[in-house]
Amino acid sequence: LELSMTDRSGPVPDGKDLVSSLLKQQQGASAASEAAETAPGWRPPAIRGAEKRDYTLGELQQFDGCVPEASIFVAVKRNIYDVTSRPDLYGTGGAYSYLPGKDASRLLAKMKPKLEEGEDPLDLSDLTEKEQATLDQWDAFFAKKYEVVGKVIVSDVGAR
């Protein structure tokens, strides 16, 4: 809310007019905020230092490195790693910017930047031995370099 006292040429509003004016400004701001929140592509802002807990795939999406100053998470084998310390790699424009905000296990195992349509990111049952070994190496890499902040959960049951 903005209250400007620079225009002193007119009469000073009485308390009722001032409250009415402030309420109208607040309602306008709320309506604009609600409209923005329902616009295509809108998502809630991710926060830096997000709490350590388990996340659904939907919740994990907000930590995809696209919001400046927000936490960046990559999940591997359902372990969620905080890679916020390396926005140069995992943030927008980084070499690995396609990994954050999702469980990247399948991408890493198959060494590809994008899943095929209909491909389940959590289904690792069809990986070859070589792909499984590659995934294990990636998981060890992330575990050595980054902190685990939670686990990927399959449904909203158990999410906080």
Side-chain angles (χ1 to χ4, degrees):
L1 298 178
E2 242 180 73
L3 184 58
S4 174
M5 298 299 275
T6 56
D7 182 15
R8 297 181 192 267
S9 60
V12 175
D14 67 16
K16 223 187 249 184
D17 290 340
L18 183 59
V19 168
S20 176
S21 174
L22 289 173
L23 284 174
K24 284 179 187 173
Q25 281 184 11
Q26 184 178 20
Q27 289 169 346
S30 292
S33 176
E34 285 177 28
E37 290 175 11
T38 58
W42 181 88
R43 61 181 175 190
I47 55 170
R48 192 171 195 87
E51 68 178 300
K52 293 180 182 180
R53 67 176 180 88
D54 296 342
Y55 291 88
T56 64
L57 287 173
E59 292 171 326
L60 187 59
Q61 289 177 350
Q62 68 180 319
F63 302 101
D64 64 0
C66 292
V67 179
E69 302 302 317
S71 293
I72 305 172
F73 294 165
V74 173
V76 181
K77 293 175 69 173
R78 297 196 182 177
N79 292 313
I80 302 172
Y81 296 98
D82 185 347
V83 298
T84 307
S85 63
R86 294 303 308 266
D88 56 318
L89 294 175
Y90 301 101
T92 302
Y96 301 104
S97 62
Y98 60 93
L99 296 176
K102 61 179 72 77
D103 189 308
S105 300
R106 195 165 179 83
L107 297 175
L108 293 168
K110 295 190 168 281
M111 300 295 290
K112 61 183 188 177
K114 192 174 181 180
L115 294 175
E116 302 297 324
E117 190 168 327
E119 204 172 358
D120 181 355
L122 297 178
D123 181 13
L124 306 176
S125 64
D126 65 338
L127 296 182
T128 66
E129 283 185 41
K130 183 177 179 180
E131 290 169 337
Q132 186 61 54
T134 299
L135 177 57
D136 291 343
Q137 288 173 348
W138 276 111
D139 189 41
F141 168 82
F142 278 93
K144 185 176 179 181
K145 289 194 70 114
Y146 303 107
E147 180 181 8
V148 174
V149 295
K151 290 274 209 190
V152 172
I153 51 179
V154 178
S155 71
D156 290 330
V157 176
R160 289 185 229 158

